[in-house]
Amino acid sequence: MTITLYGIPNCDTVKKARTWLSNNGTDFVFHDFKKDGINADLIKTWLRDVPWDVLVNRKGTTWRKLPDERKAEITDAASATALMLESPSIIKRPVLVKDKKSSVGFSDELYQQIFQK
C-alpha cells in the first residue's frame, strides 16, 4: 500500500498532516507539487473522489488575487483543472491518496477515520 501526500512543504496544514502521519507510524511519500509538478492525469484521479469545487481553494490568497473575470470562468472540472495546472498553489492542501482513494484537507478526525485509528 502506497500512501502519497501532495502539497507544498511550507503550508501549515500540510505540516500538520505530515506530523500526524509520522507520529502515527504511517509510511508515506511526500509530493511537493510546486517542485515535483502535477499533471492533468493526476488531477483527474483526485477528481474521481473530490469535487472540483472542493479541490479549488477559494479561501486562499491565490484565489483572492485572481481577477474576477478569471474566477467567473471556473465553472466545471475542465476549467478548474486548467486553473490548477496553471497555478498549483490554488489546490486545497493537502491531498492524500491512500488505496487509490483521494481526500483533501487535514483534521485529526479525518485522518483517524481514513486510517481507522
Side-chain angles (χ1 to χ4, degrees):
M1 170 178 64
T2 301
I3 297 167
T4 306
L5 187 72
Y6 296 87
I8 55 177
N10 63 338
C11 171
D12 288 339
T13 309
V14 171
K15 287 177 187 176
K16 290 175 188 174
R18 291 175 80 174
T19 298
W20 190 98
L21 291 168
S22 294
N23 288 347
N24 285 277
T26 304
D27 292 330
F28 67 98
V29 174
F30 179 69
H31 181 105
D32 179 343
F33 48 61
K34 283 194 173 181
K35 200 183 329 179
D36 301 325
I38 57 168
N39 59 50
D41 288 338
L42 180 59
I43 293 171
K44 187 177 179 180
T45 64
W46 297 341
L47 290 171
R48 282 186 281 200
D49 300 313
V50 180
W52 68 267
D53 56 338
V54 171
L55 200 52
V56 173
N57 183 2
R58 296 183 188 190
K59 295 179 182 174
T61 306
T62 306
W63 177 263
R64 288 193 303 267
K65 287 182 178 179
L66 287 176
D68 289 339
E69 306 82 49
R70 184 70 174 110
K71 291 176 188 174
E73 294 171 356
I74 311 306
T75 58
D76 58 15
S79 58
T81 298
L83 177 63
M84 289 183 271
L85 289 170
E86 180 184 307
S87 183
S89 57
I90 200 86
I91 300 169
K92 185 172 180 164
R93 303 177 293 269
V95 177
L96 177 78
V97 178
K98 175 185 179 272
D99 300 330
K100 298 182 182 180
K101 177 109 171 97
S102 304
S103 61
V104 176
F106 169 78
S107 72
D108 186 60
E109 297 79 23
L110 174 64
Y111 276 36
Q112 284 183 34
Q113 182 181 13
I114 291 169
F115 292 95
Q116 302 287 309
K117 296 254 176 198

